[in-house]
Amino acid sequence: MAVCARLCGVGPSRGCRRRQQRRGPAETAAADSEPDTDPEEECIEAGAAALSGAGGGRSAGPSPPPRCSLLELPPELLVEIFASLPGTDLPSLAQVCTKFRRILHTDTIWRRRCREEYGVCENLRKLEITGVSCRDVYAKRINPRVKSGRFMKILPDYEHMEYRDVYTCLLHRYRHILGLWQPDIGPYGGLLNVVVDGLFIIGWMYLPPHDPHVNDPMRFKPLFRIHLMERKSATVECMYGHRGPHNGHIQIVKKDEFSTKCNQTDHHRMSGGRQEEFRTWLREEWGRTLEDIFHEHMQELILMKFIYTSQYDNCLTYRRIYLPPSHPDDLIRPGLFKGTYGSHGLEIVMLSFHGKHARGTKITGDPNIPAGQQTVEIDLMHRIQLPDVENLRNFNELSRIVLEVREQVRQEQQQQEDGPEDAEGCSRQSPQEPQRGPAQPTVEPPAEKGSEPGDGGAAAAAEQPVESGQGQPFVLPLGVSSRNEDYPRTCRMCFYGTGLIAGHGFTSPERTPGVFILFDEDRFGFIWLELKSFSLYSRVQATFRNADAPSPQAFEEMLKNIQSLTS
């Protein structure tokens, strides 16, 4: 440590001014009487002086310019320098010398690290003027025997807490769980967003809007939160249920996976029993009562989901998911969308682009097609030209056009399979390239003059928009059902695609032909020919931090992992 101090030019140190103000007169006098340097530092400086004196007699040249030492800088400037360094480097810096260690106790340094690395803008000393209401400070604790109940304080006393404790014991300790996650709830899945919210780390469960209002904003509710109740001690609280926060536990199982556990499951129960819990869940999940749902099959699906998901109210495992990477040649910006799925209600789908194909992967699912499966796949090399509005109303006409394109795709696949062995070997996909899709091999378009083979895909198709700029008229064919009749009446372009259908329990899955309709940057649709059904998708308008994939390969690996869990 002394060697490090010598290399850094560390010398006398009088300590932190803030600590001197806290000391009494006697303590200050005692501190000033202490030697300013450590014994090891004095030995090193003495040895260095002897060496320089011995060497001075050997050379008669001009003396070197004086070396600038960090110690000569005023403490205020050192605070600014240290505050600009990453928080993970500060503990190592504190081990260099006594002066650095004293300066790193300045709370301004850690407050800046909390703000720049985690977005914490709250002032620990002035929480009362930052919008924290009495409702956030106190919560009503329900007591069945007392009608009025009583109140308990749920926020700690931050006035005597330091930003260093917030950074080291809360933000840095739980940094690995920040971002997007998919809970393991069987076929239903989910979307969890763990964020730094003020002086808390909160896990928000994102829920689609009530069926069939696909254009409405997402709903969300807290599942757990982490904060400092005492200095250097983080507390995990479960937020499930209607009786306020209670004791919970978080365990980081392995990389990109963690689990939560509730230690007080009695807070999840309601006084009216399971019947009251079901009615409350139904209002929150569907925005209606069971009597308002006349479809018998839909009632069965809703009851089945409540029974299944209520088994996971005490312990859940989460696996990390990434947002799809974007590319300038993508047809539209990839991301998360809300889509209609008949009696199953609204579900969350991730749209991503993979060369000449696009995929829609379910983040939330149902007993037929579970979460993690690829619900739709779009062939961006086979664009479909829709007929005029009058002919488009005829379902048979649309079906004829789509089946002709499917036959063309099959013939191109057959030609590739029947080609010479050497050509087949050259066309095999290298391990470094992302996969193009499990059921749709790539089809290379004829290269235009002046273009390289392999260029194209979504960009080539996007170069053919309707020249008028208004799009072409669109209307659903007669006989095609839709949960939401408020769909756009114009579209930009259409492509051939396939949709995944299966029986209950994901039995006998198969891909069936369909039409992908691009309405605008934030909405698209898909017509399932075999089901005679239409799904409308609308973009999730939310900003997610810590959700970008570190590399395209990491995103592809994530898709494989979530799909294998439900295969």
Side-chain angles (χ1 to χ4, degrees):
M1 184 180 301
V3 176
C4 295
R6 182 60 186 173
L7 293 176
C8 295
V10 176
S13 174
R14 287 291 179 181
C16 178
R17 297 182 178 179
R18 183 179 177 183
R19 290 201 167 191
Q20 290 180 1
Q21 295 175 358
R22 293 181 178 178
R23 295 171 178 170
E27 295 178 353
T28 304
D32 293 338
S33 63
E34 294 178 357
D36 292 336
T37 58
D38 295 337
E40 296 181 0
E41 295 178 2
E42 295 178 352
C43 295
I44 292 178
E45 291 178 355
L51 289 175
S52 61
R58 299 176 184 176
S59 60
S63 59
R67 185 175 55 182
C68 180
S69 172
L70 287 177
L71 203 67
E72 298 175 1
L73 299 177
E76 293 80 4
L77 187 56
L78 289 178
V79 169
E80 289 297 321
I81 295 175
F82 294 167
S84 63
L85 299 176
T88 53
D89 295 341
L90 298 183
S92 300
L93 188 63
Q95 298 179 3
V96 173
C97 66
T98 303
K99 180 174 182 177
F100 284 8
R101 185 165 60 252
R102 291 174 178 172
I103 291 180
L104 285 173
H105 278 84
T106 305
D107 219 26
T108 308
I109 298 175
W110 298 98
R111 180 180 181 180
R112 181 174 171 183
R113 289 295 91 217
C114 292
R115 182 180 68 252
E116 294 185 359
E117 295 183 22
Y118 299 100
V120 176
C121 300
E122 280 70 16
N123 189 341
L124 293 179
R125 309 294 176 255
K126 300 180 181 180
L127 275 180
E128 67 277 4
I129 63 173
T130 58
V132 179
S133 63
C134 295
R135 183 189 62 182
D136 298 325
V137 178
Y138 292 90
K140 191 173 184 180
R141 175 180 291 174
I142 303 299
N143 190 336
R145 293 172 295 181
V146 181
K147 292 184 179 181
S148 61
R150 59 192 181 93
F151 287 85
M152 62 177 180
K153 192 172 183 179
I154 60 176
L155 283 182
D157 186 7
Y158 287 111
E159 186 177 355
H160 303 288
M161 197 174 294
E162 297 182 353
Y163 281 98
R164 180 175 182 176
D165 300 329
V166 175
Y167 185 95
T168 58
C169 303
L170 177 66
L171 303 178
H172 181 72
R173 178 180 178 183
Y174 291 97
R175 69 191 184 281
H176 297 296
I177 68 172
L178 298 177
L180 290 179
W181 303 83
Q182 185 183 50
D184 184 9
I185 314 179
Y188 299 102
L191 180 64
L192 179 78
N193 186 24
V194 183
V195 299
V196 176
D197 191 345
L199 296 171
F200 293 81
I201 292 179
I202 302 181
W204 295 98
M205 179 68 82
Y206 275 65
L207 305 172
H210 294 142
D211 180 58
H213 308 291
V214 68
N215 292 319
D216 288 356
M218 295 284 287
R219 301 174 295 120
F220 44 87
K221 64 178 181 179
L223 290 190
F224 64 85
R225 71 180 186 182
I226 314 171
H227 61 111
L228 296 182
M229 290 298 293
E230 297 177 359
R231 188 175 181 180
K232 299 183 180 180
S233 176
T235 300
V236 179
E237 294 178 327
C238 176
M239 304 290 289
Y240 190 88
H242 301 271
R243 300 175 60 181
H246 45 281
N247 188 22
H249 175 71
I250 285 182
Q251 179 182 3
I252 300 179
V253 180
K254 57 183 179 180
K255 186 179 182 296
D256 297 336
E257 182 177 329
F258 77 96
S259 62
T260 59
K261 182 181 180 181
C262 177
N263 297 330
Q264 294 177 294
T265 55
D266 57 303
H267 282 65
H268 303 173
R269 308 281 79 88
M270 302 186 73
S271 59
R274 297 288 283 177
Q275 187 174 5
E276 183 182 357
E277 294 173 9
F278 173 68
R279 290 179 178 177
T280 304
W281 175 86
L282 188 60
R283 287 194 301 267
E284 295 177 352
E285 188 79 9
W286 293 85
R288 63 183 80 175
T289 63
L290 196 62
E291 291 76 12
D292 298 333
I293 303 174
F294 301 102
H295 200 288
E296 184 178 353
H297 178 59
M298 192 173 183
Q299 291 181 354
E300 295 176 355
L301 292 174
I302 292 175
L303 184 59
M304 183 188 309
K305 184 175 182 179
F306 169 75
I307 296 175
Y308 194 97
T309 56
S310 60
Q311 301 174 7
Y312 292 85
D313 63 347
N314 62 336
C315 186
L316 268 177
T317 300
Y318 304 88
R319 295 177 177 85
R320 183 180 294 279
I321 59 176
Y322 298 114
L323 292 179
S326 60
H327 192 270
D329 294 336
D330 292 339
L331 189 64
I332 59 174
R333 180 167 54 92
L336 298 175
F337 290 79
K338 305 155 287 184
T340 56
Y341 280 88
S343 300
H344 297 292
L346 299 186
E347 299 182 8
I348 304 175
V349 173
M350 177 185 291
L351 179 67
S352 57
F353 292 91
H354 310 263
K356 304 182 180 89
H357 292 82
R359 299 177 188 171
T361 305
K362 279 193 171 187
I363 303 301
T364 61
D366 51 70
N368 292 78
I369 306 298
Q373 293 299 317
Q374 181 182 320
T375 176
V376 294
E377 182 177 1
I378 304 99
D379 189 342
L380 299 175
M381 300 309 301
H382 290 85
R383 185 172 174 181
I384 292 180
Q385 185 64 38
L386 295 179
D388 55 67
V389 176
E390 293 302 324
N391 290 326
L392 184 57
R393 295 182 184 274
N394 187 347
F395 177 79
N396 294 331
E397 178 65 17
L398 177 63
S399 180
R400 181 189 62 81
I401 296 175
V402 176
L403 294 180
E404 286 180 357
V405 178
R406 183 180 68 169
E407 185 61 28
Q408 178 185 354
V409 173
R410 286 181 177 178
Q411 291 178 3
E412 293 173 352
Q413 293 178 8
Q414 190 66 30
Q415 290 177 3
Q416 285 188 343
E417 294 175 357
D418 296 342
E421 295 182 0
D422 54 347
E424 181 181 357
C426 294
S427 64
R428 286 178 181 172
Q429 196 175 33
S430 66
Q432 303 297 329
E433 298 176 349
Q435 295 199 9
R436 304 290 187 179
Q440 299 292 334
T442 59
V443 180
E444 196 71 38
E448 298 180 1
K449 186 177 180 179
S451 63
E452 295 293 334
D455 293 343
E463 292 175 359
Q464 308 173 9
V466 179
E467 296 182 359
S468 64
Q470 301 297 325
Q472 64 183 107
F474 175 81
V475 64
L476 284 178
L478 297 177
V480 175
S481 62
S482 174
R483 297 285 297 178
N484 193 327
E485 296 295 336
D486 187 21
Y487 60 88
R489 294 307 192 264
T490 58
C491 66
R492 291 184 183 177
M493 58 188 72
C494 302
F495 296 90
Y496 171 78
T498 59
L500 182 63
I501 63 174
H504 186 83
F506 198 44
T507 57
S508 304
E510 60 174 325
R511 307 205 70 86
T512 60
V515 183
F516 172 84
I517 307 105
L518 178 62
F519 295 114
D520 50 45
E521 179 68 22
D522 297 326
R523 290 177 297 179
F524 66 88
F526 192 83
I527 297 179
W528 310 73
L529 287 186
E530 185 168 331
L531 302 178
K532 287 189 176 182
S533 177
F534 172 74
S535 294
L536 178 63
Y537 300 84
S538 177
R539 185 182 298 276
V540 175
Q541 301 290 353
T543 302
F544 300 102
R545 298 187 60 181
N546 305 296
D548 296 330
S551 66
Q553 292 77 12
F555 177 76
E556 295 288 338
E557 189 66 25
M558 181 271 298
L559 288 181
K560 294 179 183 178
N561 291 338
I562 64 176
Q563 184 176 4
S564 63
L565 294 174
T566 56
S567 298

